[in-house]
């Protein structure tokens, strides 16, 4: 097997020799929930960059290649008694993708987002050079500008990220609320406590469940939600639960949170027919791509006389406005359940250019991933635009992995257009990796 340095050199030379003006990654996986750009491009073969290079438990970091999926990364770190500080919820997400996008999980209330846990990056640039980016060297602008850039500034070939020690189990305690304002007040209090993990789920306007996780050496019982039993249903059924640390990390992957219901995978018979190996986000993603390509559900909606719009978003709202956002969401969108995940980076670093949130504030991530169906027609992107406007009004920000409908001036005002232009001019002046606005915004 070639070493990382040898594979890096080969890829850099391939990019330097490429004749195409536009460049993209050659890979068969993606966790973007929007269609990619069409058109001819030079495809870079990056599939070989999927190795965990080193785990240093004493120093608290892992050195890993960018195309490594988180399930492989988690397995490698758990073997050393540690886990990545923030692990996005789906096994197929790569650490390079989480760095170029925005990654979040139940440890984010004290550790921030995935990019807050990075120590250094090696980034392949459009001219074929590879630069080392740290918070303190000559490429610190790219280190802080990489998050939410979605491959338009360069591709992360190697990353060094923080890890945390683990215990064998995670104890889960459920706290139920019937009032959203009281729920968010307690959520903010919990973020100042000694929990290891915090997230929540909204099942209705008067049914909210917070889940507090703490590492444990022993467990009186251990639940299994990897086959016949469904994790999110247990939130309404159990006040206390225990999972192995690995099953806790991947508790949402088996049923894609709750989205497997749209594929019939929560029906007991279908579940048994699929078998344990197909109950995972990778399988659901393949089905979603197939449906997007052939338009089966669109055709069914037309036959039923319904109009549909996919509203697949993660938005971050300051916790002081969380109840107001949720009230708006119930009234205008109506998708349920909704995932809640608090975010707070306790060590301000000067800010990440393309994801400008206040490091002194606690935010709540609202995750909602479904289709809005109405009997009457509505303009394309209507419900997504409502969400975007409300998030802006409340001082929040949204991730860019799914369709966006910002006008160009609003997009660049929200995502620091002038700073992005300076980064683009320095690291990709000829636009070989495309433009963030063109890549992320769907103009209807």
């Amino acid at each position: 097997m070639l070493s990382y340095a040898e594979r890096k050199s080969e890829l850099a030379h391939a990019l330097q020799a490429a004749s195409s003006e536009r460049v993209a990654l050659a890979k068969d996986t993606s966790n973007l929930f929007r269609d990619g750009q069409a058109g001819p491009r030079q495809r870079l073969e990056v599939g070989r960059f999927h190795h965990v290079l080193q785990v240093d438990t004493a120093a608290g970091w892992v050195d890993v290649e960018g195309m490594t999926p988180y399930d492989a990364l988690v397995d490698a770190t758990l073997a050393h008694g540690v886990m990545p500080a923030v692990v996005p919820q789906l096994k197929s997400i790569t650490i390079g993708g989480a760095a170029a996008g925005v990654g979040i999980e139940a440890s984010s209330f004290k550790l921030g987002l995935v990019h807050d846990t990075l120590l250094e990056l090696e980034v392949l640039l459009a001219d074929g050079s590879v630069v080392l980016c740290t918070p303190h060297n000559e490429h610190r602008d790219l280190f802080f500008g990489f998050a939410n850039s979605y491959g338009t500034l360069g591709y992360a070939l190697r990353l060094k990220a923080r890890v945390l020690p683990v215990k064998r189990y995670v104890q889960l305690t459920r706290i139920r609320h019937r009032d959203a304002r009281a729920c968010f007040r307690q959520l903010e209090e919990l973020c100042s406590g000694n929990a290891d993990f915090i997230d929540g789920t909204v099942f209705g306007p008067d049914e909210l469940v917070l889940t507090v996780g703490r590492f444990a050496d022993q467990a009186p019982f251990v639940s299994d939600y990897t086959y016949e039993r469904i994790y999110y249903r247990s939130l309404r059924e159990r006040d206390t639960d225990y999972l192995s640390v690995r099953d806790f990390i991947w508790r949402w992957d088996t049923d894609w949170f709750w989205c497997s219901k749209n594929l019939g995978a929560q029906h007991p018979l279908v579940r048994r027919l699929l078998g344990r190996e197909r109950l995972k986000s990778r399988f659901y993603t393949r089905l979603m791509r197939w449906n997007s390509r052939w338009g089966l559900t669109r055709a069914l909606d037309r036959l039923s006389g319904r109009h549909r719009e996919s509203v697949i978003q993660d938005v971050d709202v300051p916790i002081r406005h969380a109840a107001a956002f949720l009230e708006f969401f119930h009234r205008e969108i109506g998708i349920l359940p909704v995932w809640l995940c608090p975010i707070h980076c306790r060590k301000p670093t000067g800010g990440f250019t393309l994801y400008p949130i206040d490091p002194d504030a606690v935010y709540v991530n609202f995750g909602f991933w479904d289709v809005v169906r109405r009997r009457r027609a509505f303009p394309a992107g209507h419900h997504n635009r409502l969400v975007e406007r409300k998030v802006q009004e409340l001082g929040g920000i949204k991730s860019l992995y799914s369709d966006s409908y910002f006008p160009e001036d609003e997009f660049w005002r929200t995502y620091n257009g002038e700073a992005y232009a300076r980064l683009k001019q320095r690291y990709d002046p000829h636009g070989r990796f495309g433009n963030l606005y063109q890549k992320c915004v769907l103009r209807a």
Side-chain angles (χ1 to χ4, degrees):
M1 183 180 69
L2 296 178
S3 69
Y4 166 72
E6 291 169 325
R7 285 179 281 116
K8 177 176 69 172
S9 178
E10 283 189 1
L11 184 64
H13 285 128
L15 180 54
Q16 291 165 0
S19 58
S20 172
E21 292 184 359
R22 301 299 296 275
V23 180
L25 296 185
K27 59 193 187 81
D28 57 5
T29 62
S30 173
N31 282 282
L32 295 181
F33 289 83
R34 49 180 164 79
D35 293 330
Q37 289 178 293
R41 289 189 174 195
Q42 177 74 31
R43 298 286 172 176
L44 295 178
E45 296 291 342
V46 295
R48 296 184 297 169
F49 291 84
H50 60 83
H51 303 90
V52 178
L53 302 173
Q54 184 181 356
V55 180
D56 190 324
T57 58
W61 51 257
V62 59
D63 198 2
V64 58
E65 295 175 357
M67 286 297 294
T68 306
Y70 266 97
D71 57 349
L73 177 55
V74 164
D75 285 347
T77 54
L78 286 183
H80 293 268
V82 296
M83 64 177 282
V86 176
V87 180
Q89 306 86 354
L90 305 183
K91 294 179 178 180
S92 58
I93 294 174
T94 62
I95 186 169
V102 178
I104 183 175
E105 233 296 329
S107 59
S108 292
F109 77 98
K110 60 180 176 181
L111 299 172
L113 301 161
V114 165
H115 53 259
D116 292 301
T117 73
L118 299 179
L119 303 174
E120 65 181 43
L121 312 167
E122 274 197 88
V123 179
L124 175 69
L125 301 181
D127 63 0
S129 62
V130 179
V131 297
L132 176 66
C133 308
T134 77
H136 308 292
N137 71 359
E138 69 271 27
H139 298 295
R140 70 183 304 274
D141 58 345
L142 184 55
F143 180 90
F144 289 111
F146 197 77
N148 216 33
S149 65
Y150 287 91
T152 62
L153 298 175
Y155 294 111
L157 301 183
R158 185 187 65 80
L159 309 93
K160 186 179 285 187
R162 291 177 60 196
V163 295
L164 300 175
V166 302
K167 297 181 181 179
R168 291 186 63 188
Y169 306 104
V170 178
Q171 177 189 18
L172 303 177
T173 303
R174 309 279 160 52
I175 305 170
R176 308 179 194 287
H177 283 274
R178 299 185 64 83
D179 176 75
R181 296 185 183 279
C183 177
F184 290 118
R185 282 196 299 270
Q186 183 169 36
L187 182 59
E188 189 166 20
E189 293 171 2
L190 289 169
C191 288
S192 300
N194 61 357
D196 295 304
F197 306 99
I198 303 173
D199 66 355
T201 308
V202 181
F203 291 100
D206 60 354
E207 186 182 4
L208 302 91
V209 181
L210 300 179
T211 299
V212 180
R214 291 182 174 86
F215 284 120
D217 290 313
Q218 297 180 330
F221 62 90
V222 180
S223 296
D224 181 356
Y225 299 106
T226 62
Y227 187 26
E228 293 188 340
R229 299 174 64 196
I230 296 173
Y231 174 74
Y232 83 93
R233 292 179 179 171
S234 74
L235 306 181
R236 308 168 100 169
E237 299 164 353
R238 291 191 163 187
D239 294 330
T240 303
D241 209 348
Y242 290 85
L243 295 174
S244 70
V245 65
R246 189 180 190 280
D247 282 355
F248 170 78
I249 291 171
W250 301 126
R251 66 200 184 281
W252 294 118
D253 189 86
T254 302
D255 282 284
W256 222 10
F257 282 82
W258 32 77
C259 297
S260 65
K261 69 179 187 294
N262 297 320
L263 305 171
Q266 294 183 18
H267 188 284
L269 178 58
V270 175
R271 210 168 179 82
R272 291 189 182 94
L273 289 173
L274 289 174
R276 192 186 298 267
E277 288 304 309
R278 291 189 181 88
L279 295 172
K280 57 186 177 182
S281 59
R282 283 188 176 91
F283 176 73
Y284 305 137
T285 300
R286 288 197 296 270
L287 289 182
M288 181 195 72
R289 303 290 179 209
W290 180 88
N291 180 60
S292 178
R293 185 165 61 250
W294 295 103
L296 176 62
T297 54
R298 289 195 298 271
L300 292 174
D301 285 335
R302 282 196 298 270
L303 289 173
S304 67
R306 290 193 162 213
H307 303 270
R308 71 192 309 271
E309 179 184 349
S310 293
V311 183
I312 300 173
Q313 300 285 3
D314 278 88
V315 301
D316 302 335
V317 176
I319 197 166
R320 66 183 182 277
H321 298 313
F325 177 81
L326 190 57
E327 180 182 353
F328 148 83
F329 188 83
H330 287 314
R331 182 178 66 251
E332 300 292 342
I333 310 300
I335 290 173
L336 290 170
V338 175
W339 187 55
L340 307 176
C341 189
I343 306 166
H344 188 200
C345 182
R346 297 181 186 275
K347 290 186 176 180
T349 54
F352 287 85
T353 308
L354 304 183
Y355 213 73
I357 62 176
D358 181 356
D360 296 321
V362 176
Y363 288 71
V364 177
N365 175 273
F366 293 83
F368 37 93
W369 319 287
D370 212 328
V371 172
V372 175
R373 291 180 174 86
R374 300 283 190 261
R375 286 293 181 185
R376 62 181 179 83
F378 41 79
H382 170 74
H383 297 92
N384 283 284
R385 285 191 177 95
L386 288 177
V387 170
E388 290 173 357
R389 290 169 187 159
K390 192 64 176 181
V391 170
Q392 285 186 303
E393 175 191 324
L394 297 177
I397 194 167
K398 60 166 278 186
S399 300
L400 296 175
Y401 68 87
S402 56
D403 290 336
S404 300
Y405 293 83
F406 289 99
E408 190 163 6
D409 59 337
E410 288 184 16
F411 183 86
W412 289 125
R413 187 162 56 248
T414 302
Y415 296 98
N416 283 334
E418 291 185 8
Y420 176 75
R422 290 193 294 270
L423 287 166
K424 196 69 176 169
Q425 182 59 36
R426 180 178 183 188
Y427 293 105
D428 184 19
H430 302 294
R432 293 191 81 187
F433 289 154
N435 176 283
L436 184 63
Y437 177 75
Q438 294 170 341
K439 182 169 283 192
C440 295
V441 174
L442 177 65
R443 281 175 276 189

Short mmCIF file of all heavy atoms in Angstrom, two decimals, residues 182-212:
data_model
loop_
_atom_site.label_atom_id
_atom_site.label_comp_id
_atom_site.label_asym_id
_atom_site.label_seq_id
_atom_site.Cartn_x
_atom_site.Cartn_y
_atom_site.Cartn_z
N ALA A 182 -40.59 26.44 28.64
CA ALA A 182 -40.00 25.79 29.80
C ALA A 182 -38.93 24.78 29.38
O ALA A 182 -37.88 24.64 30.03
CB ALA A 182 -41.08 25.10 30.63
N CYS A 183 -39.17 24.10 28.27
CA CYS A 183 -38.21 23.12 27.76
C CYS A 183 -36.89 23.80 27.41
O CYS A 183 -35.81 23.33 27.80
CB CYS A 183 -38.79 22.42 26.54
SG CYS A 183 -37.68 21.22 25.76
N PHE A 184 -36.95 24.91 26.70
CA PHE A 184 -35.71 25.57 26.30
C PHE A 184 -35.01 26.24 27.48
O PHE A 184 -33.78 26.34 27.49
CB PHE A 184 -35.98 26.57 25.17
CG PHE A 184 -36.35 25.90 23.86
CD1 PHE A 184 -37.59 26.12 23.27
CD2 PHE A 184 -35.47 25.02 23.25
CE1 PHE A 184 -37.94 25.49 22.08
CE2 PHE A 184 -35.80 24.39 22.06
CZ PHE A 184 -37.04 24.63 21.48
N ARG A 185 -35.77 26.69 28.47
CA ARG A 185 -35.12 27.22 29.68
C ARG A 185 -34.32 26.11 30.36
O ARG A 185 -33.17 26.33 30.77
CB ARG A 185 -36.17 27.79 30.64
CG ARG A 185 -36.69 29.16 30.26
CD ARG A 185 -37.40 29.83 31.43
NE ARG A 185 -38.56 29.07 31.88
CZ ARG A 185 -39.80 29.24 31.41
NH1 ARG A 185 -40.03 30.14 30.45
NH2 ARG A 185 -40.81 28.54 31.89
N GLN A 186 -34.91 24.94 30.49
CA GLN A 186 -34.17 23.85 31.12
C GLN A 186 -33.01 23.39 30.25
O GLN A 186 -31.94 23.04 30.76
CB GLN A 186 -35.08 22.67 31.43
CG GLN A 186 -34.34 21.54 32.16
CD GLN A 186 -35.24 20.48 32.71
OE1 GLN A 186 -36.24 20.14 32.11
NE2 GLN A 186 -34.88 19.94 33.88
N LEU A 187 -33.21 23.39 28.95
CA LEU A 187 -32.13 23.00 28.05
C LEU A 187 -30.91 23.90 28.25
O LEU A 187 -29.76 23.42 28.32
CB LEU A 187 -32.60 23.07 26.60
CG LEU A 187 -31.60 22.66 25.52
CD1 LEU A 187 -31.13 21.22 25.73
CD2 LEU A 187 -32.21 22.83 24.13
N GLU A 188 -31.13 25.19 28.39
CA GLU A 188 -30.01 26.12 28.61
C GLU A 188 -29.33 25.84 29.95
O GLU A 188 -28.11 25.90 30.05
CB GLU A 188 -30.50 27.56 28.54
CG GLU A 188 -29.38 28.58 28.56
CD GLU A 188 -29.85 29.96 28.16
OE1 GLU A 188 -31.07 30.23 28.23
OE2 GLU A 188 -28.99 30.78 27.78
N GLU A 189 -30.11 25.52 30.96
CA GLU A 189 -29.53 25.18 32.26
C GLU A 189 -28.69 23.90 32.17
O GLU A 189 -27.59 23.81 32.74
CB GLU A 189 -30.64 25.01 33.31
CG GLU A 189 -31.39 26.28 33.64
CD GLU A 189 -32.61 26.02 34.50
OE1 GLU A 189 -32.84 24.83 34.85
OE2 GLU A 189 -33.34 26.97 34.81
N LEU A 190 -29.20 22.91 31.46
CA LEU A 190 -28.47 21.65 31.32
C LEU A 190 -27.13 21.84 30.62
O LEU A 190 -26.15 21.13 30.91
CB LEU A 190 -29.32 20.64 30.54
CG LEU A 190 -30.54 20.07 31.27
CD1 LEU A 190 -31.42 19.31 30.29
CD2 LEU A 190 -30.11 19.15 32.41
N CYS A 191 -27.07 22.79 29.71
CA CYS A 191 -25.83 23.03 28.98
C CYS A 191 -24.71 23.54 29.89
O CYS A 191 -23.53 23.48 29.51
CB CYS A 191 -26.06 24.02 27.84
SG CYS A 191 -27.02 23.35 26.47
N SER A 192 -25.06 24.02 31.06
CA SER A 192 -24.05 24.47 32.02
C SER A 192 -23.71 23.39 33.03
O SER A 192 -22.90 23.63 33.94
CB SER A 192 -24.56 25.72 32.76
OG SER A 192 -24.82 26.77 31.86
N GLY A 193 -24.30 22.21 32.90
CA GLY A 193 -24.10 21.13 33.86
C GLY A 193 -22.98 20.18 33.46
O GLY A 193 -22.10 20.52 32.65
N ASN A 194 -23.04 18.97 34.00
CA ASN A 194 -21.96 18.01 33.82
C ASN A 194 -22.31 16.85 32.90
O ASN A 194 -21.69 15.79 32.96
CB ASN A 194 -21.53 17.45 35.18
CG ASN A 194 -22.67 16.71 35.89
OD1 ASN A 194 -23.80 16.66 35.38
ND2 ASN A 194 -22.39 16.15 37.04
N ALA A 195 -23.30 17.02 32.06
CA ALA A 195 -23.67 15.96 31.12
C ALA A 195 -22.58 15.76 30.08
O ALA A 195 -21.77 16.66 29.81
CB ALA A 195 -24.99 16.30 30.45
N ASP A 196 -22.55 14.59 29.48
CA ASP A 196 -21.65 14.32 28.36
C ASP A 196 -22.33 14.55 27.02
O ASP A 196 -21.67 14.91 26.05
CB ASP A 196 -21.14 12.87 28.44
CG ASP A 196 -20.27 12.63 29.67
OD1 ASP A 196 -19.28 13.35 29.84
OD2 ASP A 196 -20.61 11.72 30.45
N PHE A 197 -23.66 14.33 26.98
CA PHE A 197 -24.41 14.49 25.73
C PHE A 197 -25.79 15.06 26.05
O PHE A 197 -26.39 14.70 27.06
CB PHE A 197 -24.59 13.13 25.03
CG PHE A 197 -23.31 12.40 24.79
CD1 PHE A 197 -22.90 11.37 25.64
CD2 PHE A 197 -22.50 12.71 23.71
CE1 PHE A 197 -21.73 10.68 25.45
CE2 PHE A 197 -21.31 12.02 23.49
CZ PHE A 197 -20.92 11.02 24.36
N ILE A 198 -26.29 15.93 25.17
CA ILE A 198 -27.65 16.46 25.31
C ILE A 198 -28.25 16.63 23.92
O ILE A 198 -27.63 17.23 23.03
CB ILE A 198 -27.68 17.83 26.02
CG1 ILE A 198 -27.03 17.76 27.40
CG2 ILE A 198 -29.11 18.34 26.14
CD1 ILE A 198 -26.89 19.14 28.07
N ASP A 199 -29.44 16.09 23.72
CA ASP A 199 -30.23 16.45 22.55
C ASP A 199 -31.69 16.33 22.92
O ASP A 199 -32.04 16.08 24.08
CB ASP A 199 -29.86 15.62 21.32
CG ASP A 199 -30.19 14.14 21.44
OD1 ASP A 199 -30.62 13.69 22.53
OD2 ASP A 199 -30.01 13.41 20.44
N GLY A 200 -32.58 16.58 21.97
CA GLY A 200 -34.00 16.55 22.26
C GLY A 200 -34.80 16.24 21.02
O GLY A 200 -34.28 16.25 19.89
N THR A 201 -36.06 15.96 21.22
CA THR A 201 -36.97 15.61 20.12
C THR A 201 -38.32 16.24 20.37
O THR A 201 -38.85 16.18 21.49
CB THR A 201 -37.13 14.08 19.99
OG1 THR A 201 -35.84 13.48 19.92
CG2 THR A 201 -37.92 13.72 18.75
N VAL A 202 -38.89 16.85 19.33
CA VAL A 202 -40.23 17.43 19.40
C VAL A 202 -41.18 16.51 18.68
O VAL A 202 -41.06 16.27 17.47
CB VAL A 202 -40.25 18.84 18.75
CG1 VAL A 202 -41.65 19.43 18.84
CG2 VAL A 202 -39.22 19.75 19.38
N PHE A 203 -42.13 15.97 19.41
CA PHE A 203 -43.15 15.10 18.81
C PHE A 203 -44.44 15.86 18.54
O PHE A 203 -45.30 15.36 17.80
CB PHE A 203 -43.45 13.93 19.73
CG PHE A 203 -42.31 12.95 19.84
CD1 PHE A 203 -41.46 12.97 20.93
CD2 PHE A 203 -42.10 12.01 18.84
CE1 PHE A 203 -40.41 12.06 21.02
CE2 PHE A 203 -41.05 11.09 18.93
CZ PHE A 203 -40.20 11.13 20.02
N GLY A 204 -44.59 17.03 19.12
CA GLY A 204 -45.78 17.85 18.93
C GLY A 204 -45.63 19.14 19.70
O GLY A 204 -44.69 19.32 20.49
N PRO A 205 -46.56 20.11 19.51
CA PRO A 205 -46.46 21.38 20.23
C PRO A 205 -46.41 21.23 21.74
O PRO A 205 -45.80 22.06 22.42
CB PRO A 205 -47.72 22.12 19.78
CG PRO A 205 -48.07 21.52 18.46
CD PRO A 205 -47.70 20.08 18.58
N ASP A 206 -47.03 20.18 22.28
CA ASP A 206 -47.04 19.99 23.72
C ASP A 206 -46.37 18.68 24.12
O ASP A 206 -46.66 18.12 25.18
CB ASP A 206 -48.47 20.04 24.27
CG ASP A 206 -49.36 18.97 23.66
OD1 ASP A 206 -48.90 18.28 22.73
OD2 ASP A 206 -50.51 18.84 24.12
N GLU A 207 -45.45 18.19 23.29
CA GLU A 207 -44.72 16.97 23.63
C GLU A 207 -43.27 17.10 23.17
O GLU A 207 -42.94 16.88 22.01
CB GLU A 207 -45.35 15.73 23.01
CG GLU A 207 -44.68 14.44 23.48
CD GLU A 207 -45.25 13.19 22.85
OE1 GLU A 207 -46.14 13.31 21.96
OE2 GLU A 207 -44.81 12.08 23.22
N LEU A 208 -42.41 17.50 24.11
CA LEU A 208 -40.99 17.66 23.85
C LEU A 208 -40.22 16.79 24.84
O LEU A 208 -40.57 16.74 26.03
CB LEU A 208 -40.55 19.12 24.01
CG LEU A 208 -41.27 20.17 23.13
CD1 LEU A 208 -42.48 20.73 23.85
CD2 LEU A 208 -40.32 21.30 22.77
N VAL A 209 -39.20 16.11 24.35
CA VAL A 209 -38.41 15.21 25.19
C VAL A 209 -36.94 15.58 25.08
O VAL A 209 -36.38 15.59 23.98
CB VAL A 209 -38.60 13.74 24.78
CG1 VAL A 209 -37.79 12.82 25.69
CG2 VAL A 209 -40.07 13.35 24.79
N LEU A 210 -36.32 15.90 26.21
CA LEU A 210 -34.88 16.12 26.27
C LEU A 210 -34.22 14.82 26.71
O LEU A 210 -34.73 14.12 27.59
CB LEU A 210 -34.53 17.24 27.25
CG LEU A 210 -35.12 18.61 26.94
CD1 LEU A 210 -34.70 19.62 28.02
CD2 LEU A 210 -34.71 19.10 25.56
N THR A 211 -33.07 14.51 26.11
CA THR A 211 -32.31 13.32 26.48
C THR A 211 -30.93 13.75 26.95
O THR A 211 -30.20 14.43 26.21
CB THR A 211 -32.18 12.35 25.29
OG1 THR A 211 -33.47 11.92 24.88
CG2 THR A 211 -31.34 11.14 25.68
N VAL A 212 -30.60 13.36 28.17
CA VAL A 212 -29.30 13.69 28.76
C VAL A 212 -28.50 12.41 28.87
O VAL A 212 -28.96 11.42 29.47
CB VAL A 212 -29.47 14.34 30.15
CG1 VAL A 212 -28.11 14.67 30.76
CG2 VAL A 212 -30.34 15.60 30.05
#
